[in-house]
């Protein structure tokens, strides 16, 4: 029987043998692809394998691709020359931001008279004229003169029933409560104090001095502390870090200092008194001990963590300072220049619209990805 098989094989045409070999190779390739697909499905269904793979991929982020190492030495030299040029660009950019700071100082002086007048209106020092108070609102439907007159009479009647308030009561407290970043810091015991806040000003460092800005919180006389102004100063730097010059992305806040609040006795909301019972180990007697401990309050804003000379902070202090820098920058950049729009809520609506637009864009991109997957003949929704 074996001789017969050998004889039949010998009688086959060599061309036929080539065809057989090619078919066998094709079948082998399909088997490999099938096994690869099965392995992929198993990996996708196993969360442990996926997690391990993701960990490996995360470890590769930021690692050299090997491309630079593969370049000829003469090309590497030229790339190093480009990097040296980039460092010089970073130093020029730092000078640019220094001049921007000078412009901020210049225009701050132009804005200040307007902010002072705003403060006078809020404090009832100045009563604006009818012309200054006229504001043309966009109405969805045109009202007849009769309807306008009726609305005006009803508004005047309401005003007569109420007491005539002075200025704009609780202006800054309302701003704080309207802004999530600030309202998160507020405690119920802070609100009676912030009702006395009359103005917030931004003061820039003098020309020729290190870059910095100071937030000034002006208070009317109150029963909580004797200070009329509470300050918070932020020190800034606009120069590349010698150890990492390519990370430079404009001025950064390097540290901040608060001020001492001269609290009236018993009014310090940043501290609270608690009572603890202690049992004597020997006698077994129990005594009550009173302790003073820190308390959550907006006014902790004026006592930030101190940065040691080494510059090293624990994680909690770093987190507090990072949030502090964000709040200080937000008050300077947004709250002070646009306070009335945060009081009315219009600036908050604008911010919300921005986030909605970003969400829509993200949804659109996700929808496009889903559509691409569905159009892919190899896409399996079960995987």
């Amino acid at each position: 029987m074996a001789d017969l098989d050998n004889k039949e094989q010998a009688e086959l045409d060599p061309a036929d043998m080539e065809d057989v070999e090619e078919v066998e190779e094709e079948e082998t390739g399909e088997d490999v692809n099938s096994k690869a697909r099965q392995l992929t499905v198993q990996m996708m269904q196993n969360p442990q394998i996926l997690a391990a793979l993701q960990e490996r991929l995360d470890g590769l982020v930021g690692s050299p691709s090997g491309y630079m190492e593969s370049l000829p030495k003469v090309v590497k030299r030229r790339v190093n020359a480009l990097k040296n040029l980039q460092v010089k660009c970073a130093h020029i950019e730092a000078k640019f931001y220094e001049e921007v700071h000078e412009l901020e100082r210049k225009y701050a002086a132009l804005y200040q008279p307007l902010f002072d007048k705003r403060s006078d209106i809020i404090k009832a020092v100045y009563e604006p004229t009818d012309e200054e108070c006229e504001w043309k609102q966009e109405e969805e439907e045109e009202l007849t003169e009769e309807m306008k007159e009726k609305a005006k009479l009803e508004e005047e009647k309401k005003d007569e029933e109420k007491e005539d308030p002075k200025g704009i009561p609780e202006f800054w407290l309302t701003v704080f409560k309207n802004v999530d970043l600030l309202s998160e810091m507020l405690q119920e015991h802070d609100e009676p104090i912030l009702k006395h806040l009359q103005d917030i000003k931004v003061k820039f460092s003098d020309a020729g001095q290190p870059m910095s800005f100071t937030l000034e919180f002006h208070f009317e006389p109150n029963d909580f502390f004797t200070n009329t102004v509470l300050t918070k100063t932020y020190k800034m730097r606009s120069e590349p870090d010698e150890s990492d010059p390519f990370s430079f992305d404009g001025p950064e806040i390097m540290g901040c200092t608060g001020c001492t609040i001269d609290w009236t006795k018993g009014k310090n909301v940043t501290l609270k008194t608690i009572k603890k019972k202690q049992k004597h180990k020997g006698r077994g007697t129990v005594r009550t001990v009173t302790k003073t401990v820190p308390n959550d309050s907006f006014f902790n804003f004026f006592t930030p963590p101190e940065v040691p000379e080494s510059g090293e902070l624990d994680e909690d202090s770093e987190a507090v300072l990072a949030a502090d820098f964000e709040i200080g920058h937000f008050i300077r950049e947004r709250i002070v220049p646009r306070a009335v729009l945060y009081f009315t809520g219009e600036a908050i609506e604008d911010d919300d619209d921005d986030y909605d637009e970003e969400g829509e864009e993200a949804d659109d991109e996700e929808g496009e990805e889903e559509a691409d997957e569905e159009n892919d003949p190899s896409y399996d929704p079960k995987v």
Side-chain angles (χ1 to χ4, degrees):
M1 190 70 177
D3 293 341
L4 181 61
D5 291 340
N6 292 336
K7 184 177 179 182
E8 289 177 353
Q9 186 175 358
E11 291 175 353
L12 285 173
D13 187 19
D16 294 336
M17 289 294 292
E18 290 177 5
D19 292 340
V20 171
E21 289 175 359
E22 288 178 3
V23 170
E24 287 178 352
E25 287 177 2
E26 289 175 3
E27 289 177 352
T28 303
E30 288 180 1
D31 290 342
V32 171
N33 290 336
S34 176
K35 289 179 180 178
R37 282 195 294 271
Q38 291 175 1
L39 181 59
T40 302
V41 171
Q42 292 174 2
M43 287 176 61
M44 295 298 289
Q45 291 177 343
N46 191 324
Q48 292 180 341
I49 295 177
L50 272 178
L53 180 60
Q54 185 63 50
E55 187 176 352
R56 289 290 302 275
L57 291 174
D58 290 342
L60 293 175
V61 174
S63 62
S65 63
Y67 175 70
M68 280 296 297
E69 287 74 9
S70 68
L71 293 175
K73 185 176 180 180
V74 65
V75 176
K76 290 181 182 177
R77 288 179 68 257
R78 293 166 190 154
V79 171
N80 288 338
L82 296 185
K83 291 171 75 173
N84 285 326
L85 291 176
Q86 190 63 44
V87 171
K88 292 181 180 179
C89 286
H91 284 281
I92 292 174
E93 186 179 4
K95 294 295 181 183
F96 164 78
Y97 283 113
E98 287 179 6
E99 291 196 24
V100 169
H101 190 68
E102 293 297 324
L103 277 176
E104 285 183 314
R105 183 187 293 109
K106 172 185 175 182
Y107 279 88
L110 300 178
Y111 286 126
Q112 197 55 52
L114 301 177
F115 294 155
D116 289 342
K117 193 167 188 178
R118 177 180 71 186
S119 178
D120 288 343
I121 294 173
I122 292 170
K123 296 184 295 185
V125 173
Y126 172 77
E127 183 62 34
T129 64
D130 291 341
E131 183 180 356
E132 289 174 318
C133 294
E134 187 176 346
W135 180 258
K136 186 178 180 181
Q137 294 182 340
E138 295 181 5
E139 298 179 357
E140 294 181 2
E141 299 178 1
E142 291 188 5
L143 300 176
T144 63
E145 290 299 325
E146 183 179 351
M147 293 177 67
K148 288 181 181 178
E149 187 63 28
K150 184 179 179 181
K152 183 179 179 182
L153 290 173
E154 288 180 356
E155 189 174 340
E156 289 176 352
K157 185 178 179 182
K158 287 180 181 178
D159 287 341
E160 289 175 1
E161 293 173 355
K162 296 179 182 178
E163 294 182 7
D164 182 20
K166 302 297 181 183
I168 304 179
E170 301 180 14
F171 177 86
W172 290 103
L173 173 59
T174 304
V175 170
F176 276 45
K177 293 171 77 171
N178 281 347
V179 179
D180 289 342
L181 188 65
L182 301 178
S183 64
E184 291 173 358
M185 303 168 63
L186 289 186
Q187 306 298 320
E188 188 175 348
H189 47 254
D190 294 325
E191 294 188 17
I193 308 175
L194 288 172
K195 289 180 180 180
H196 298 284
L197 179 59
Q198 294 184 313
D199 199 9
I200 303 177
K201 296 181 179 181
V202 179
K203 295 293 180 67
F204 293 94
S205 55
D206 295 332
Q209 296 298 315
M211 190 182 295
S212 68
F213 68 92
T214 299
L215 301 177
E216 294 183 349
F217 294 73
H218 293 253
F219 287 83
E220 65 182 351
N222 59 80
D223 297 332
F224 298 92
F225 46 71
T226 58
N227 310 67
T228 56
V229 181
L230 301 181
T231 61
K232 184 75 170 286
T233 300
Y234 290 87
K235 299 174 183 177
M236 303 172 68
R237 182 180 70 178
S238 181
E239 60 181 80
D241 187 344
E242 292 183 3
S243 62
D244 187 16
F246 302 131
S247 65
F248 180 73
D249 191 28
E252 57 181 333
I253 296 175
M254 301 304 297
C256 58
T257 54
C259 67
T260 300
I261 302 178
D262 299 320
W263 293 99
T264 304
K265 187 176 181 180
K267 298 289 188 178
N268 188 346
V269 294
T270 65
L271 299 174
K272 63 180 178 181
T273 302
I274 60 172
K275 292 182 179 181
K276 297 186 75 174
K277 290 184 178 181
Q278 294 180 342
K279 187 175 182 180
H280 194 280
K281 293 180 180 179
R283 295 190 295 270
T285 56
V286 178
R287 67 175 183 177
T288 301
V289 177
T290 301
K291 293 183 67 176
T292 301
V293 296
N295 192 26
D296 291 336
S297 169
F298 164 75
F299 291 90
N300 289 322
F301 178 69
F302 298 97
T303 53
E306 292 185 7
V307 180
E309 293 182 2
S310 62
E312 296 181 1
L313 291 168
D314 56 59
E315 290 185 5
D316 290 341
S317 297
E318 280 187 359
V320 170
L321 275 180
D324 189 296
F325 292 171
E326 182 183 1
I327 293 164
H329 183 75
F330 190 79
I331 292 174
R332 167 199 165 187
E333 290 286 329
R334 304 295 292 275
I335 298 298
V336 172
R338 309 178 72 204
V340 65
L341 301 181
Y342 284 99
F343 176 81
T344 61
E346 293 167 80
I348 300 160
E349 292 172 5
D350 291 342
D351 292 344
D352 291 341
D353 290 341
D354 292 340
Y355 282 112
D356 289 340
E357 288 173 6
E358 289 180 8
E360 289 170 7
E361 288 176 6
D363 292 341
D364 291 343
E365 290 174 3
E366 186 177 347
E368 290 174 5
E369 289 177 3
E370 290 176 356
D372 291 341
E373 290 174 345
E374 291 172 0
N375 294 331
D376 185 353
S378 64
Y379 170 65
D380 185 357
K382 294 179 182 178
V383 177

